[in-house]
Amino acid sequence: MASKRFLVSFVAVVAFAAAVASVQAADPEEIRDFAPPPNGAAPNGDYFTFKGLRNLDVSTGAFANVTAVNVKGFPALSGLGVSNALLLYPPGSVNAPHTHPRGTETLFVIEGSLDVGLLDTTAPIPTLFTQTLQTGDIFVFPRGLVHFQINRGQKKAKAYASFSSTFPGTVSLPRTLFKTGISNDVLTKSFGVSDNIIQALVAA
Amino acid sequence: MASKRFLVSFVAVVAFAAAVASVQAADPEEIRDFAPPPNGAAPNGDYFTFKGLRNLDVSTGAFANVTAVNVKGFPALSGLGVSNALLLYPPGSVNAPHTHPRGTETLFVIEGSLDVGLLDTTAPIPTLFTQTLQTGDIFVFPRGLVHFQINRGQKKAKAYASFSSTFPGTVSLPRTLFKTGISNDVLTKSFGVSDNIIQALVAA
Amino acid sequence: MASKRFLVSFVAVVAFAAAVASVQAADPEEIRDFAPPPNGAAPNGDYFTFKGLRNLDVSTGAFANVTAVNVKGFPALSGLGVSNALLLYPPGSVNAPHTHPRGTETLFVIEGSLDVGLLDTTAPIPTLFTQTLQTGDIFVFPRGLVHFQINRGQKKAKAYASFSSTFPGTVSLPRTLFKTGISNDVLTKSFGVSDNIIQALVAA
Amino acid sequence: MASKRFLVSFVAVVAFAAAVASVQAADPEEIRDFAPPPNGAAPNGDYFTFKGLRNLDVSTGAFANVTAVNVKGFPALSGLGVSNALLLYPPGSVNAPHTHPRGTETLFVIEGSLDVGLLDTTAPIPTLFTQTLQTGDIFVFPRGLVHFQINRGQKKAKAYASFSSTFPGTVSLPRTLFKTGISNDVLTKSFGVSDNIIQALVAA
Amino acid sequence: MASKRFLVSFVAVVAFAAAVASVQAADPEEIRDFAPPPNGAAPNGDYFTFKGLRNLDVSTGAFANVTAVNVKGFPALSGLGVSNALLLYPPGSVNAPHTHPRGTETLFVIEGSLDVGLLDTTAPIPTLFTQTLQTGDIFVFPRGLVHFQINRGQKKAKAYASFSSTFPGTVSLPRTLFKTGISNDVLTKSFGVSDNIIQALVAA
Amino acid sequence: MASKRFLVSFVAVVAFAAAVASVQAADPEEIRDFAPPPNGAAPNGDYFTFKGLRNLDVSTGAFANVTAVNVKGFPALSGLGVSNALLLYPPGSVNAPHTHPRGTETLFVIEGSLDVGLLDTTAPIPTLFTQTLQTGDIFVFPRGLVHFQINRGQKKAKAYASFSSTFPGTVSLPRTLFKTGISNDVLTKSFGVSDNIIQALVAA
């Protein structure tokens, strides 16, 4: 069903709309050792620790399940220039083509095997780079470029991402292009297909 | 025809693949007044001038015609953090959804009228912002976010873009997603449509 | 009259003194998609649009008329690294020598013809680079260097500037040097002229 | 033996002295999609992949074994602002107090349990923050601050680090202070101890 | 006595713990001319002046006496990327090995003579660079690297430091390692010495 | 005589024109510990030391004598974000109004007394901030803003400058405006004075 297609793969981001005001505006280079806890409490070891990835596991589903560990959920990262995410890929699942507008990503395979792809901006036709990653391999997806992963294996895969920003953002291309109400004329002309095709994509 | 869909709208970028080696690696803040001419000649007034936009005009075509004025064609920009482009929109033409991975864009309408759209990264469904711009209006497309323009008027439109980078790059989404040979399984699963639909997009 | 010499060429900047508190302190790289509207309202298409340049025109006057489109009047630019300005040059008008301390400028001639000049920091005598720009030409003035324009034509000229900062600032040299009350001894010694000369400049 | 104390825990760094010339000078924000392969070959999927962490394991030893995955060994990272390392901790091993001068680190425990500590710059006495991390936990060590880890468990531990730089560097404090030939008078006066104590540290 | 060893050599930093909240979070490039006075008063000549170094002198003591002139005590520096410190070295005094996590330092000898040392991150053993500086000499200590000074002369020495940050921070290594309560097992294992040695360092 | 007015106050900069090619293009944040010596030699203590300020003194002259210590003469500064200068002011001398396009300056008075002035960018009339500095005082001149100094005392004064850049540049306003051949019409119109006045300034 179409609604399942809207499975929220980015758990931490779900709350973004409601909480945008609490995200720090910028990622300037921090001139204090670290930003103090937002609630005014004194920092302690827990402030520098993120414990939300313990015991996460998902073994079914059509899409990768992504838990971001960025400045929004881990305020100690503020101004420190790095963040992470844990990605769980049931067998057959895909992390649909997307970009991270504000950060480069390195992806480290912790378990299983993963097929990945990266597109550059060569014109007129971008170059596609692919790879089958084994456990222990790392792939780099430069800032702002389109990329995706798919788990073609029989077993689940697990990977851990590192970003060059405390809040890199994610532009999910299927949703951004076909679920946001862009006018039909823009879509038919841009993709060079008829209304039917666009309607299938919008209804998916 | 499908091939017409591949009309290169970014004239300066056409040569990118062949000339990538000549593009300066980075856009560090220049500590000299300016980078000297690459050929070793002494700089003069012409070095700081780009004359390539005189008399450009295109009044037919399905896509916007874009002439970039970036560090590749205007080396005096090196390290100086800004670049431009001229966009010509025949009536009915579209500048298909795309992003600029490394720069924010402001678009200034010089002639005619233009409908524009911008998508943010709100999850699960991004927000679409649209506007009908009159001559003299400016719209800002933040770094890395998806945007597009369409000229729904009877007359041609002309706009001038400013970027916060000397080489912001362009990720054209129709071409990047459907003309680069991404595997069918990735596409059908990501967009939630059948093979036929994907084939139509690839063949467009 | 001397007062006419003080014609405020930078319309948006006129209010700077009163509104400095409302300008964002810094231009850090925004880690959100964009800064939300300062008044707490939800953003819409209008938030990303600047409509203040419609129908601007000035055909007489001794000085260029400049309308800045920077973060102060266009808050959506916040953290996004680029801003603009529209410059209108009546015949015979000049944009007196000035610098932009915090940004590089590219100037695009939209109408008419313009003579421009740029000075570098070569010592002991800086090099002067000049150019006569036709409609469609672009000239780059690197960050912090002295430059000027003059319209020696019979018709008005119009140009559009792009800056590598959301608030580059402008240091107008005639006013900064001779209208601010710098002591006479500093001026006579620095410029190597007698009191009479300095008095003429101060009284201008 | 003292020589065992000099076990090189940073495998990739061992080659630094010989290869410093090949490290890119700076980590400017890349304005191309990515830096091309240094050998002039065309990039392919392998260029963006680092396969050197497959099958690494160390189960004995007094010190953590660290394999850095930075721009030196993974040139595709050039200009992209992020790098990684894999750390293997035999039971009882320590990663001696050190700093990363040019990057913040987040440390993700992949296996086992780890005790970590971080010191800030509070004066006169810095504050020590500690934590016992379980598998799945992440701890952040801000740029330039002293930190350490110790595996007090019976089983080996494994962790994966992310850095906000393509070459953050490591200042190992025991070696830097006591193995580099700093004069005795500097050390006795700085640490407020007698020659014997310093000699013990130097001979360790 | 041990307490004398805790002589606060960094006068301005003494108040850090109490005043951390008042330090500006980051050192973004200021887009205003300067940050206005924190108390809301109009700026005047005094706002841009720091008068706290007049008549400072110390001619006895085991440690260098350092007065920092950074954004905390000189708010006009906010966002401007530079700060300073005055260092007074009684004969025989030492400025114990330390790092500045967030800034490079240049040290200018104003009076007397000073022996200095700098350690890089070469592995396995860092390289020690030393110099005897005469009055008028400058030495550079790159960001984040360990360095120290000692006045082996009969007369006092005086030096003035410049930093590439408005708040570079100082990591004093003797205090950070041995006065903060790091567990004994971490210290004995890291330094490869017995408990007695560590106890001597802790008790110093 | 006019030619004496052209006294080169910036000694190190005199050689700029001939040596511009040797200045490093940019001041990116260095990702190595430091840039190695340009001649390929191994670094030693001397590489990190600048000895060119020993015994400098000037007690007569109309203008301040400035010796820059920047990356051009001190290559070890490369990528490290800070540089310095020594300024010697005979009695009655002036450091004519100028800007540093690429860096903020803090000025520390080492000897004597100095009157300083700073102009901001308030429109229409910038604000002038002045101060009489005593020995030991520091004044900050934000990046890109016009400033000057004058020694109104009977004794010479000496000051040491710190910059937030390894090569901040200097725009000397009397020379840039009146010694570079800017056309007469630009000058008379910009300053609002007659040809005679401009001629006096040009001939000075």
Side-chain angles (χ1 to χ4, degrees):
Chain A
M1 280 176 51
S3 57
K4 290 223 174 115
R5 292 272 140 65
F6 296 166
L7 177 67
V8 177
S9 17
F10 292 92
V11 174
V13 180
V14 172
F16 180 79
V20 64
S22 65
V23 173
Q24 185 136 324
D27 200 7
E29 214 167 74
E30 185 55 75
I31 63 168
R32 296 170 298 189
D33 290 344
F34 49 84
N39 59 5
N44 57 18
D46 283 346
Y47 177 61
F48 299 97
T49 312
F50 186 85
K51 301 182 188 175
L53 298 186
R54 291 186 189 176
N55 302 320
L56 288 184
D57 205 7
V58 173
S59 45
T60 61
F63 294 96
N65 179 282
V66 181
T67 305
V69 183
N70 58 42
V71 68
K72 201 178 148 302
F74 189 17
L77 290 183
S78 180
L80 298 181
V82 61
S83 66
N84 296 98
L86 185 70
L87 296 86
L88 305 169
Y89 304 82
S93 66
V94 69
N95 191 5
H98 61 283
T99 74
H100 302 293
R102 299 180 295 274
T104 286
E105 172 185 350
T106 60
L107 187 69
F108 172 57
V109 179
I110 305 176
E111 182 183 328
S113 171
L114 212 51
D115 286 325
V116 303
L118 165 71
L119 284 305
D120 71 4
T121 66
T122 303
I125 302 301
T127 307
L128 169 65
F129 302 97
T130 58
Q131 183 67 261
T132 296
L133 301 178
Q134 306 302 337
T135 298
D137 289 349
I138 297 174
F139 198 93
V140 56
F141 302 108
R143 178 172 46 122
L145 300 188
V146 177
H147 55 283
F148 58 87
Q149 301 103 30
I150 181 168
N151 178 5
R152 291 192 172 108
Q154 303 302 325
K155 301 187 174 190
K156 72 191 185 206
K158 192 187 282 193
Y160 179 76
S162 311
F163 298 96
S164 62
S165 162
T166 61
F167 199 75
T170 301
V171 175
S172 163
L173 293 167
R175 288 201 296 268
T176 303
L177 289 169
F178 300 115
K179 302 296 182 177
T180 52
I182 296 177
S183 301
N184 223 50
D185 60 348
V186 172
L187 295 177
T188 53
K189 290 184 176 196
S190 297
F191 290 91
V193 292
S194 64
D195 280 351
N196 305 18
I197 305 298
I198 296 301
Q199 280 166 34
L201 291 154
V202 170
Chain B
M1 278 175 51
S3 55
K4 290 219 175 119
R5 291 272 140 64
F6 296 168
L7 178 66
V8 176
S9 20
F10 292 92
V11 172
V13 181
V14 170
F16 180 79
V20 62
S22 65
V23 174
Q24 187 135 326
D27 201 6
E29 214 166 74
E30 185 55 77
I31 63 168
R32 293 170 301 190
D33 289 344
F34 49 84
N39 61 4
N44 56 17
D46 283 345
Y47 178 61
F48 299 97
T49 311
F50 186 87
K51 301 182 188 176
L53 298 185
R54 289 186 190 176
N55 302 320
L56 288 183
D57 205 5
V58 173
S59 47
T60 60
F63 294 95
N65 179 281
V66 181
T67 305
V69 182
N70 57 43
V71 68
K72 201 176 151 305
F74 190 15
L77 290 183
S78 179
L80 298 181
V82 62
S83 66
N84 295 98
L86 184 71
L87 295 88
L88 304 171
Y89 304 82
S93 65
V94 68
N95 191 4
H98 60 285
T99 74
H100 301 293
R102 299 179 295 273
T104 287
E105 172 184 351
T106 60
L107 187 68
F108 172 57
V109 179
I110 304 176
E111 183 182 328
S113 172
L114 214 51
D115 285 326
V116 303
L118 166 71
L119 285 306
D120 72 5
T121 65
T122 303
I125 302 300
T127 308
L128 169 65
F129 302 97
T130 58
Q131 184 68 261
T132 296
L133 302 178
Q134 306 301 335
T135 299
D137 289 348
I138 297 174
F139 197 91
V140 57
F141 302 108
R143 178 172 47 122
L145 300 190
V146 176
H147 55 283
F148 59 87
Q149 302 102 31
I150 182 169
N151 178 5
R152 292 193 174 108
Q154 303 302 326
K155 301 187 176 190
K156 69 189 187 211
K158 191 186 282 194
Y160 180 75
S162 310
F163 298 96
S164 62
S165 160
T166 61
F167 199 75
T170 301
V171 175
S172 162
L173 294 168
R175 289 201 294 269
T176 303
L177 290 170
F178 300 117
K179 302 295 182 177
T180 53
I182 297 176
S183 301
N184 223 50
D185 61 346
V186 171
L187 295 177
T188 53
K189 290 183 175 197
S190 296
F191 290 91
V193 291
S194 63
D195 280 352
N196 305 19
I197 305 296
I198 296 303
Q199 280 165 35
L201 290 156
V202 170
Chain C
M1 279 176 52
S3 57
K4 287 215 176 125
R5 292 270 141 67
F6 296 167
L7 178 67
V8 176
S9 18
F10 292 93
V11 173
V13 180
V14 171
F16 180 79
V20 63
S22 66
V23 174
Q24 185 138 325
D27 200 7
E29 214 167 75
E30 185 54 77
I31 63 167
R32 294 170 300 189
D33 290 343
F34 49 83
N39 60 5
N44 57 17
D46 282 346
Y47 177 61
F48 299 97
T49 311
F50 186 87
K51 301 181 187 177
L53 298 184
R54 290 186 189 177
N55 301 320
L56 288 184
D57 206 5
V58 172
S59 45
T60 60
F63 295 96
N65 179 282
V66 181
T67 305
V69 183
N70 57 41
V71 68
K72 200 176 148 303
F74 190 15
L77 290 183
S78 180
L80 299 180
V82 61
S83 66
N84 297 96
L86 184 71
L87 296 86
L88 305 170
Y89 304 81
S93 66
V94 68
N95 192 4
H98 61 283
T99 74
H100 302 295
R102 300 179 295 272
T104 286
E105 171 184 352
T106 60
L107 187 68
F108 172 58
V109 179
I110 306 176
E111 183 181 328
S113 171
L114 213 51
D115 286 325
V116 303
L118 165 71
L119 285 305
D120 71 4
T121 66
T122 303
I125 301 302
T127 307
L128 170 65
F129 302 98
T130 58
Q131 185 67 261
T132 297
L133 301 177
Q134 305 302 335
T135 298
D137 290 349
I138 296 174
F139 198 92
V140 56
F141 302 107
R143 179 171 45 120
L145 301 188
V146 177
H147 55 283
F148 58 87
Q149 301 104 31
I150 182 168
N151 178 7
R152 290 193 174 106
Q154 302 302 325
K155 300 186 174 191
K156 71 191 187 209
K158 191 187 282 193
Y160 179 75
S162 310
F163 298 96
S164 62
S165 161
T166 60
F167 200 74
T170 301
V171 174
S172 162
L173 294 168
R175 289 201 295 269
T176 303
L177 290 169
F178 300 116
K179 302 296 182 176
T180 53
I182 296 176
S183 300
N184 222 51
D185 60 347
V186 171
L187 295 177
T188 52
K189 290 184 174 195
S190 296
F191 290 91
V193 291
S194 65
D195 281 349
N196 305 18
I197 305 297
I198 297 302
Q199 281 167 33
L201 289 155
V202 170
Chain D
M1 280 175 50
S3 55
K4 288 219 175 120
R5 290 269 141 65
F6 295 167
L7 178 67
V8 176
S9 22
F10 293 93
V11 172
V13 181
V14 171
F16 179 79
V20 62
S22 65
V23 174
Q24 186 136 323
D27 200 7
E29 213 168 74
E30 186 54 78
I31 63 168
R32 295 170 299 190
D33 290 343
F34 49 85
N39 60 5
N44 57 17
D46 283 345
Y47 177 62
F48 299 97
T49 310
F50 187 85
K51 301 182 187 175
L53 298 185
R54 290 185 188 177
N55 301 322
L56 287 183
D57 205 6
V58 172
S59 45
T60 59
F63 294 96
N65 180 282
V66 182
T67 305
V69 183
N70 57 42
V71 68
K72 201 179 149 302
F74 189 16
L77 291 182
S78 180
L80 298 180
V82 62
S83 65
N84 297 97
L86 185 72
L87 296 87
L88 305 170
Y89 305 82
S93 67
V94 69
N95 191 5
H98 61 284
T99 74
H100 302 294
R102 300 179 296 273
T104 286
E105 171 184 352
T106 61
L107 187 68
F108 172 57
V109 179
I110 305 176
E111 183 181 329
S113 173
L114 212 52
D115 286 325
V116 303
L118 165 71
L119 285 306
D120 71 5
T121 65
T122 302
I125 302 302
T127 308
L128 170 64
F129 302 97
T130 59
Q131 183 68 262
T132 296
L133 301 179
Q134 305 303 335
T135 298
D137 289 349
I138 297 175
F139 197 92
V140 57
F141 301 108
R143 177 172 46 122
L145 301 189
V146 177
H147 55 282
F148 59 87
Q149 302 103 30
I150 182 169
N151 178 7
R152 292 193 173 107
Q154 303 302 326
K155 301 187 173 189
K156 69 188 188 212
K158 192 186 282 194
Y160 180 76
S162 310
F163 298 97
S164 62
S165 162
T166 61
F167 199 75
T170 301
V171 175
S172 163
L173 293 168
R175 289 202 293 269
T176 303
L177 289 169
F178 299 115
K179 301 296 182 177
T180 53
I182 297 177
S183 300
N184 222 51
D185 60 347
V186 172
L187 295 177
T188 52
K189 289 184 176 198
S190 296
F191 290 91
V193 293
S194 64
D195 280 351
N196 306 17
I197 304 296
I198 295 303
Q199 281 166 34
L201 289 156
V202 171
Chain E
M1 278 175 53
S3 55
K4 289 220 174 117
R5 290 273 140 64
F6 295 168
L7 178 66
V8 176
S9 19
F10 292 94
V11 173
V13 181
V14 170
F16 180 80
V20 64
S22 64
V23 172
Q24 185 137 326
D27 199 8
E29 214 167 74
E30 185 56 77
I31 62 167
R32 294 172 300 189
D33 289 344
F34 49 83
N39 60 4
N44 56 18
D46 283 345
Y47 177 61
F48 299 97
T49 311
F50 185 85
K51 301 182 187 176
L53 298 183
R54 288 186 191 177
N55 302 321
L56 288 183
D57 206 5
V58 173
S59 45
T60 60
F63 296 96
N65 179 282
V66 181
T67 306
V69 183
N70 59 42
V71 67
K72 201 178 149 302
F74 189 15
L77 290 182
S78 180
L80 297 181
V82 61
S83 65
N84 296 97
L86 185 71
L87 296 88
L88 304 170
Y89 305 82
S93 66
V94 69
N95 191 4
H98 61 283
T99 74
H100 302 294
R102 299 180 297 274
T104 286
E105 172 184 352
T106 60
L107 187 69
F108 172 57
V109 179
I110 304 176
E111 182 182 328
S113 172
L114 212 52
D115 286 325
V116 302
L118 165 72
L119 285 305
D120 72 3
T121 66
T122 303
I125 302 301
T127 308
L128 170 66
F129 302 98
T130 58
Q131 184 67 262
T132 296
L133 301 179
Q134 306 302 335
T135 298
D137 289 348
I138 297 175
F139 197 92
V140 57
F141 302 108
R143 180 173 44 124
L145 301 189
V146 177
H147 56 283
F148 58 88
Q149 301 103 31
I150 182 168
N151 178 7
R152 293 193 173 107
Q154 302 302 325
K155 300 188 175 188
K156 69 190 187 209
K158 191 187 283 192
Y160 179 76
S162 311
F163 298 96
S164 63
S165 162
T166 61
F167 200 74
T170 301
V171 175
S172 162
L173 293 168
R175 289 202 295 268
T176 302
L177 290 169
F178 299 117
K179 301 295 182 177
T180 53
I182 296 177
S183 302
N184 222 51
D185 60 348
V186 172
L187 294 177
T188 52
K189 290 184 174 196
S190 296
F191 291 91
V193 293
S194 64
D195 281 349
N196 304 18
I197 304 298
I198 296 301
Q199 281 167 31
L201 290 156
V202 170
Chain F
M1 280 173 50
S3 53
K4 290 222 175 114
R5 291 270 140 64
F6 295 167
L7 177 67
V8 177
S9 21
F10 293 92
V11 172
V13 181
V14 171
F16 180 80
V20 63
S22 65
V23 173
Q24 187 136 325
D27 201 7
E29 214 167 74
E30 186 53 77
I31 63 169
R32 296 170 298 190
D33 290 344
F34 49 84
N39 60 5
N44 56 17
D46 283 345
Y47 178 62
F48 300 96
T49 310
F50 186 85
K51 302 182 187 174
L53 298 185
R54 290 186 189 176
N55 301 319
L56 287 184
D57 205 4
V58 172
S59 47
T60 61
F63 294 96
N65 179 280
V66 181
T67 305
V69 183
N70 59 43
V71 67
K72 202 179 148 301
F74 189 16
L77 291 181
S78 181
L80 299 180
V82 62
S83 66
N84 296 97
L86 185 71
L87 296 88
L88 305 169
Y89 305 82
S93 66
V94 69
N95 191 5
H98 61 283
T99 75
H100 302 294
R102 299 179 295 273
T104 286
E105 172 185 352
T106 60
L107 187 68
F108 172 57
V109 179
I110 305 175
E111 182 182 331
S113 172
L114 213 51
D115 286 325
V116 304
L118 165 71
L119 286 305
D120 72 6
T121 65
T122 303
I125 302 301
T127 307
L128 169 64
F129 303 97
T130 58
Q131 184 67 261
T132 296
L133 302 177
Q134 306 302 336
T135 299
D137 289 348
I138 298 175
F139 198 92
V140 57
F141 301 109
R143 177 174 46 122
L145 301 189
V146 176
H147 55 283
F148 57 87
Q149 302 103 29
I150 181 168
N151 178 6
R152 291 193 174 107
Q154 303 303 322
K155 300 186 174 189
K156 69 188 187 210
K158 192 186 282 193
Y160 179 76
S162 311
F163 298 97
S164 63
S165 161
T166 61
F167 199 75
T170 301
V171 175
S172 163
L173 294 168
R175 289 201 294 269
T176 304
L177 290 169
F178 300 116
K179 302 296 183 177
T180 53
I182 297 178
S183 301
N184 223 51
D185 60 347
V186 172
L187 296 176
T188 53
K189 291 183 174 197
S190 297
F191 290 91
V193 292
S194 64
D195 281 349
N196 303 20
I197 304 297
I198 296 302
Q199 281 165 35
L201 290 155
V202 170

